[in-house]
Amino acid sequence: MRLTFDDDVEAFRAEFAAFLEANLPAEAEAAERSRSTGHLPEWARRWQRLQFDTGWLLPGNPPEFGGRNATVVQQFVHLQELSRRRIFHSFNPQGVGIIAASLLSFGTEEQKHRWAVPILRAEITAALGMSEPGAGSDLASLRTRAVLDGDHFIVNGQKVWTSGAHDADVLLTFVRTDPDAPKHKGISVLLIPTSTPGVTRRPFAAFTGPEDKDFNEVFFEDVRVPAENLVGPLNQGWRVANGSLGHERTLMWLGDAERMGDLLRDFHPSTPLDKDWYATLVMDRQALNLLGSAALARAARGDTDVPALSVLKVLGSEASQKALERALEAAGPDGLTHPTTTAPYYHMSYDDAFASWFHRYARSFGGTIAGGTSEIQRTIIAERVLGLPRR
């Protein structure tokens, strides 16, 4: 395996690095923080729009959708440069990385320009309505109903853990449209503006503190949604769901690898460093980078190895969580309050905004849940990598 990049990829990296150096928002300009993953301060809207207009928001997209038709490897180094600098290209990550991407994959041309482009240009924000009470990891058990009535769907039900919904303009919502079909069938996807009568959003605090209000309960009571807001074919929402989560998982491992790198750089305990813990962290990060590089090479050849992504998801999320647990233990009482890094605050993502060791460790649990829980990923690995029987 050759762990270096061709000259054209390095030239692409250098061009993007020069763009960042010339255009990053000034710290004073970026003083206002995002209050949720559905909220964009004006400076963040300008920053995202600039990236869209110059083709640096999602380089793999065509120019009309904020990109420059970059290769998979070029997309990788783009994310690598952002991660190394702790820069977030959007404060509405699910809107840009999952919802707009899903619309570009499954939406009509009208939906792409009416919804995806405004999301990508930071004119509106979006939230993802998947999980429900009793249908979290098992999305196929969802019970939110949508009944076709003429040229509208009538939606009733509830979502939960809907990040940023109270600040978002639109929800990409998974609903059951055929209650008699097997549970993986009969699911459809609707774009539901949050201003629609009958939509109620209730944010609630996470255990990391009352200031951390990103999660929501969302209730739908006789909500009328135009039939033209159906994304993908009727009753084929499971395919859209797999595509949506695929957009989220493809390079997710890179974020875990960079977070472990951050941990190596940021950890300054008052007690002597545990050499065994440090060595484990170094080896886990190296293993993740090597396995991720192999997956990247396969993707560059056009081979999307979904089970391999499950291996990377489990390894990355759980290794970084264990490392953060050890760091919190070593930091002692100081880890409850003291900042973990001196990196510019406005460069951090929403997830890194609560910067004590405790907050970093507490938020790591989301990494083992979002994009598919570790338990579900182990089932995929058992069945599709190891070939074990379903029972």
Side-chain angles (χ1 to χ4, degrees):
M1 178 181 289
R2 181 169 59 88
L3 294 176
T4 57
F5 297 101
D6 293 336
D7 290 344
D8 63 321
V9 175
E10 290 300 346
F12 182 91
R13 183 200 300 275
E15 184 181 357
F16 180 52
F19 167 82
L20 293 176
E21 294 300 324
N23 293 286
L24 276 178
E27 189 169 358
E29 177 188 4
E32 182 184 359
R33 297 300 299 172
S34 170
R35 60 177 177 256
S36 79
T37 55
H39 169 246
L40 292 176
E42 281 306 312
W43 71 266
R45 291 182 187 271
R46 291 192 298 270
W47 167 234
Q48 184 174 319
R49 194 169 301 130
L50 174 64
Q51 294 171 84
F52 178 94
D53 292 341
T54 54
W56 288 118
L57 183 64
L58 294 173
N61 287 357
E64 63 268 29
F65 298 119
R68 49 183 61 203
N69 294 315
T71 66
V72 171
V73 178
Q74 288 172 331
Q75 292 172 59
F76 173 80
V77 299
H78 169 264
L79 290 178
Q80 197 174 49
E81 289 303 305
L82 289 173
S83 297
R84 285 174 176 173
R85 291 169 170 78
R86 302 182 182 186
I87 297 165
F88 222 41
H89 65 317
S90 172
F91 279 80
N92 182 217
Q94 69 273 17
V96 170
I98 302 176
I99 297 165
S102 297
L103 290 172
L104 295 183
S105 296
F106 300 100
T108 64
E109 287 303 312
E110 192 273 341
Q111 289 171 344
K112 293 176 186 178
H113 290 90
R114 181 182 174 189
W115 298 105
V117 170
I119 292 169
L120 294 172
R121 296 196 77 248
E123 294 164 1
I124 62 174
T125 61
L128 185 63
M130 276 190 168
S131 297
E132 299 183 3
S137 297
D138 185 13
L139 176 66
S141 296
L142 67 86
R143 292 182 292 178
T144 296
R145 289 284 305 277
V147 178
L148 189 59
D149 179 23
D151 58 357
H152 282 74
F153 287 95
I154 310 301
V155 181
N156 286 279
Q158 178 188 354
K159 298 293 179 180
V160 72
W161 312 114
T162 314
S163 299
H166 58 302
D167 288 316
D169 299 294
V170 65
L171 305 172
L172 186 72
T173 312
F174 289 75
V175 296
R176 187 161 297 284
T177 45
D178 185 352
D180 298 322
K183 70 176 190 176
H184 286 83
K185 301 181 185 295
I187 296 173
S188 299
V189 185
L190 296 173
L191 285 162
I192 304 180
T194 55
S195 59
T196 307
V199 176
T200 302
R201 298 162 286 168
R202 295 179 185 170
F204 57 89
F207 79 100
T208 46
E211 75 282 5
D212 185 7
K213 284 191 176 180
D214 194 44
F215 291 137
N216 282 253
E217 295 177 295
V218 181
F219 300 89
F220 305 95
E221 185 175 357
D222 293 330
V223 176
R224 292 182 60 84
V225 181
E228 66 189 28
N229 286 19
L230 176 69
V231 179
L234 184 68
N235 297 326
Q236 297 298 313
W238 190 250
R239 179 167 167 258
V240 180
N242 285 329
S244 297
L245 293 177
H247 291 305
E248 185 177 20
R249 292 174 185 158
T250 302
L251 289 174
M252 183 181 285
W253 64 270
L254 174 60
D256 289 316
E258 291 300 328
R259 276 187 286 274
M260 286 190 272
D262 290 344
L263 186 55
L264 290 171
R265 291 189 292 270
D266 293 340
F267 186 55
H268 302 291
S270 56
T271 56
L273 192 64
D274 185 324
K275 293 180 180 178
D276 180 66
W277 166 78
Y278 188 88
T280 298
L281 175 58
V282 171
M283 288 187 292
D284 283 347
R285 182 175 183 243
Q286 182 71 354
L288 184 60
N289 274 322
L290 291 172
L291 288 170
S293 295
L296 178 67
R298 288 193 295 272
R301 295 193 297 267
D303 178 13
T304 304
D305 189 346
V306 174
L309 297 179
S310 293
V311 174
L312 289 166
K313 172 69 166 58
V314 173
L315 172 60
S317 61
E318 295 194 356
S320 59
Q321 182 182 84
K322 290 175 184 175
L324 283 164
E325 181 180 18
R326 296 290 296 276
L328 178 60
E329 290 174 352
D334 286 347
L336 296 174
T337 57
H338 286 193
T340 61
T341 177
T342 57
Y345 191 50
Y346 71 98
H347 281 183
M348 295 181 186
S349 72
Y350 178 84
D351 289 346
D352 293 329
F354 307 99
S356 72
W357 284 113
F358 167 73
H359 278 110
R360 277 175 81 170
Y361 171 62
R363 294 193 69 85
S364 73
F365 285 86
T368 63
I369 298 171
T373 66
S374 290
E375 292 79 7
I376 294 296
Q377 301 310 307
R378 283 189 168 88
T379 298
I380 294 172
I381 294 166
E383 294 178 0
R384 299 180 61 182
V385 177
L386 301 178
L388 299 178
R390 291 182 64 85
R391 298 185 64 183

